[in-house]
Amino acid sequence: MFIQLFSMVFKGVLLGVFQPFFWLVFIFMFFQYRRSTQVQEELYGKALYPFRDQVVDALLFSFLSGFIGSFIMVLLGVTIEGSGIEYVWLLALLFMLVHPRYICFSYAGGLLSLFSLITGYPHVDVAGLMALVGILHLMESLLIWLDGYKSRVPIFTARDGGTVVGGFSLQRFWPIPFVILAVSAGGTVQGATSIPMPDWWPVIKPAIGVHASYMMVPAVAALGYGDISLTQTPEVHTKGSAFRLMAFSVILTTLAVLAASYHPLKWIAAVFAPVAHEYLIYYGQKIEKEGKPAFAPAMGGVKVLDVFPDSPAKAMGLKSGDTILKINNEPVRSDEDIVNILGKYLTFIWMEVKDLDGNIRTVEYSDFRNGIDSLGIIFVPSNPLMSFSIEEMHGLLKRLFKRFFNKR
């Protein structure tokens, strides 16, 4: 049964690639990644993450995440009927006018479920809707874990007190093909392939009854991830964000499954979705605002903000947050010192390097044919010539009000 189900879900996810909306999201993603690459080339002369790799990785991980999420949806019996997804989309778009991050289904789905529980209108399968929201967030958490750190742009920004520190702007976009069940009340669909399911299935019973027939319907979701990392490396930052979001999605999905049998839990799931998701946002922002910056200028040595691929620094194992203390026993106090040392046409170098945990190691590199004139590093300078201002993006309504009153 599971092998057949595996094959059917796989084919359904593949069919999602042929949906027009998938290609609309892909085109948007394509231009976003191309723009990100151009910004890096304008700022640093070279992209830290090649454009082609950004696109290919996004597509591969999108398919993997979509398959895992689809398999869980089908195992639980999550259906599109009665989910109120059309109302969720409308609410999410309205919330986006207030603030862009409110387009998340946790807010719209939770509030719609509460309104339905209180008033009885519209009639929504709260358990099914909360399961759908939870699984979509599970797919998002997998993508952030596997792929969230790769399209990073090194930046410099001023913190409270005026100190300029290094950090990263993180932006990823994914078109997710997946499948969801649709109920066919009239019996078996002609030409459809059916497989025997166990007695406990579906876990979340549809409103139409347990004897309904089901179809797998291809669908597409557009997911995005945007964040700022100042207190941790992008890899560590995204792993933490993904773990918290994954815990949220597992709890919400579990509540949804239990709510299918215990009505009071529908209220808990409906409240948990927006409140817990808002707390995740607040907690992440609190860490970045109050935590110790990982990329402040080093008191002794030169701090590494990032390393270019296929560079001597990459070959030596240098990474974000390392501090170069010495090169060939010569103390390094600024990036100008490094330029002066490498200007001696060296063919072999060894460096004393300290990582973020304070551990000191020695690394070495040689190029006897061409010599070593650059390490391929973006440094955290002591006195940056420019910095980015990090401001919270406001919704369309607030921007319109602000523009109106400014004119007044």
Side-chain angles (χ1 to χ4, degrees), residues 101-102 104-114 126 129-134 137 245 248-249 251-253 255-256 265-281:
R101 64 183 171 86
Y102 291 151
C104 172
F105 278 7
S106 290
Y107 303 103
L111 293 178
L112 177 67
S113 296
L114 282 174
V126 173
L129 176 56
M130 290 296 96
L132 175 61
V133 172
H137 279 301
L245 185 60
F248 163 82
S249 64
I251 294 172
L252 180 58
T253 305
L255 285 173
L265 289 178
K266 293 181 179 180
W267 292 84
I268 296 177
V271 172
F272 177 82
V275 172
H277 194 278
E278 185 66 15
Y279 177 75
L280 289 181
I281 301 295

Side-chain angles (χ1 to χ4, degrees), residues 7 30 49 55 58-59 62 70 75 81 84 94 122 223 256 313 321 347-348 363 401:
S7 176
F30 180 92
Y49 194 53
V55 174
L59 290 176
S62 293
S70 299
L75 280 181
E81 271 77 18
L94 290 175
L223 296 180
T347 58
F348 175 76
V363 297
F401 277 122

Side-chain angles (χ1 to χ4, degrees), residues 23-345:
W23 291 104
L24 287 176
V25 178
F26 173 82
I27 292 171
F28 173 79
M29 178 194 74
F30 180 92
F31 285 108
Q32 288 294 320
Y33 288 157
R34 189 172 73 171
R35 177 57 184 158
S36 174
T37 303
Q38 290 172 343
V39 168
Q40 293 182 50
E41 291 173 346
E42 291 170 3
L43 291 174
Y44 306 111
K46 185 178 181 181
L48 287 161
Y49 194 53
F51 168 72
R52 183 183 63 181
D53 293 350
Q54 292 185 56
V55 174
V56 172
D57 284 358
L59 290 176
L60 289 176
F61 288 120
S62 293
F63 184 87
L64 175 64
S65 174
F67 173 77
I68 293 173
S70 299
F71 196 76
I72 296 173
M73 284 189 196
V74 172
L75 280 181
L76 295 181
V78 177
T79 63
I80 197 169
E81 271 77 18
S83 65
I85 193 67
E86 65 276 15
Y87 299 109
V88 173
W89 268 113
L90 179 60
L91 271 178
L93 291 174
L94 290 175
F95 289 163
M96 184 182 67
L97 299 177
V98 179
H99 198 289
R101 64 183 171 86
Y102 291 151
I103 196 174
C104 172
F105 278 7
S106 290
Y107 303 103
L111 293 178
L112 177 67
S113 296
L114 282 174
F115 190 80
S116 177
L117 290 169
I118 294 170
T119 67
Y121 183 84
H123 180 68
V124 173
D125 178 9
V126 173
L129 176 56
M130 290 296 96
L132 175 61
V133 172
I135 295 169
L136 285 173
H137 279 301
L138 178 63
M139 291 191 286
E140 182 184 3
S141 68
L142 288 172
L143 288 167
I144 295 173
W145 183 285
L146 297 169
D147 199 42
Y149 64 91
K150 292 180 179 177
S151 186
R152 57 187 184 267
V153 178
I155 61 172
F156 301 101
T157 184
R159 301 200 86 188
D160 295 339
T163 303
V164 176
V165 300
F168 294 88
S169 173
L170 308 173
Q171 285 281 334
R172 291 295 274 168
F173 302 93
W174 303 283
I176 316 296
F178 68 100
V179 296
I180 189 169
L181 294 174
V183 176
S184 175
T188 304
V189 179
Q190 185 176 5
T193 302
S194 62
I195 58 174
M197 297 298 287
D199 294 336
W200 50 260
W201 189 87
V203 177
I204 300 177
K205 311 297 183 186
I208 199 170
V210 296
H211 301 295
S213 298
Y214 299 88
M215 302 178 294
M216 289 187 190
V217 180
V220 178
L223 296 180
Y225 172 65
D227 211 345
I228 297 291
S229 179
L230 303 176
T231 62
Q232 299 170 312
T233 63
E235 292 85 350
V236 174
H237 181 91
T238 52
K239 292 294 188 294
S241 298
F243 179 80
R244 293 190 292 271
L245 185 60
M246 190 176 296
F248 163 82
S249 64
V250 170
I251 294 172
L252 180 58
T253 305
T254 302
L255 285 173
V257 170
L258 296 176
S261 301
Y262 303 98
H263 185 272
L265 289 178
K266 293 181 179 180
W267 292 84
I268 296 177
V271 172
F272 177 82
V275 172
H277 194 278
E278 185 66 15
Y279 177 75
L280 289 181
I281 301 295
Y282 166 78
Y283 182 78
Q285 292 177 343
K286 180 180 174 66
I287 291 176
E288 293 305 315
K289 288 180 180 179
E290 301 179 3
K292 180 181 178 181
F295 307 102
M299 297 300 294
V302 176
K303 182 70 66 72
V304 175
L305 182 56
D306 213 340
V307 175
F308 287 106
D310 304 320
S311 65
K314 191 74 172 180
M316 286 185 282
L318 269 67
K319 56 187 182 298
S320 296
D322 284 344
T323 300
I324 300 175
L325 304 175
K326 294 181 180 179
I327 299 179
N328 291 7
N329 275 341
E330 294 189 46
V332 173
R333 299 180 181 85
S334 67
D335 45 336
E336 288 84 0
D337 290 342
I338 295 178
V339 173
N340 293 333
I341 293 172
L342 296 181
K344 298 176 181 179
Y345 304 103

